[in-house]
Amino acid sequence: MAKVLDLDKTDRALLRALTANARASGSSLASTLGIAESTVSLRLRRLQSNGVIRRFRAEIDPTAIGATVQALVAVRLVKHAREEIEAFRRAAPSLPGVLSLFHMAGADDYLLHVAARDSGELREFVLAHLTGHPAVSHTETNLIFEHAEGDGWELLLT
């Protein structure tokens, strides 16, 4: 987990510019922000080493690769023993089609965002990887009709 840093207006502007275009060159970022390219480079390294910027990656549209069905699958564990929780936490992100994993408070222990090619593949995922898992006592699958990325986090940069 990243430690909370005291970000100045330049750091915040750099983070906003990167979220708009993570492939922007150092010179482009420097020009946009009105600072030296060496300053951009130093700040990027600091933001990365302190865990503010976790990684740069391509975001793939699941439907473009044939995964036209998405769901949120709520999972309840049989018991709340640390070893069961940690074992499920280690395994679940690598299960086929898992896009995200959330450890929750409340009635459900985990929420998995899953993509599949069709409803049959989604059903098979739940049966093969969740209901058959010794740590899982209950699942509930909710289909996603539409997903929109939020950008409200940018207000946290102000």
Side-chain angles (χ1 to χ4, degrees), residues 10 15 43 57 59 64 67 80 84 95 111 115 127 146:
T10 301
L15 291 171
R43 286 181 182 251
R57 64 182 183 159
E59 186 174 327
H80 291 101
E84 295 284 338
L95 296 175
L111 191 61
L127 291 173
E146 182 180 3

Side-chain angles (χ1 to χ4, degrees), residues 32-149:
T32 299
L33 300 177
I35 59 177
E37 192 171 344
S38 60
T39 302
V40 168
S41 181
L42 287 170
R43 286 181 182 251
L44 281 176
R45 276 198 300 278
R46 183 175 59 83
L47 291 167
Q48 286 176 293
S49 68
N50 287 315
V52 175
I53 298 173
R54 294 186 292 198
R55 61 183 165 183
F56 296 91
R57 64 182 183 159
E59 186 174 327
I60 308 300
D61 178 357
T63 59
I65 58 171
T68 60
V69 173
Q70 291 187 47
L72 294 174
V73 182
V75 175
R76 286 187 205 144
L77 300 180
V78 173
K79 59 183 179 177
H80 291 101
R82 180 176 295 275
E83 62 276 0
E84 295 284 338
I85 293 169
E86 289 175 1
F88 187 81
R89 166 60 185 91
R90 279 191 308 274
S94 299
L95 296 175
V98 173
L99 304 177
S100 297
L101 171 73
F102 302 93
H103 189 181
M104 308 292 290
D108 299 311
D109 297 303
Y110 285 95
L111 191 61
L112 282 72
H113 180 190
V114 179
R117 288 182 191 88
D118 55 38
S119 60
E121 186 175 84
L122 176 60
R123 178 181 183 276
E124 185 57 31
F125 168 82
V126 172
L127 291 173
H129 299 288
L130 299 179
T131 59
H133 194 287
V136 174
S137 70
H138 176 79
T139 66
E140 183 175 321
T141 302
N142 296 280
L143 289 179
I144 298 171
F145 293 131
E146 182 180 3
H147 174 253
E149 289 287 328

Side-chain angles (χ1 to χ4, degrees), residues 2-19:
K3 60 184 174 183
V4 177
L5 294 180
D6 186 23
L7 302 176
D8 65 16
K9 69 178 185 172
T10 301
D11 289 327
R12 293 170 191 278
L14 180 57
L15 291 171
R16 279 192 294 276
L18 283 172
T19 59

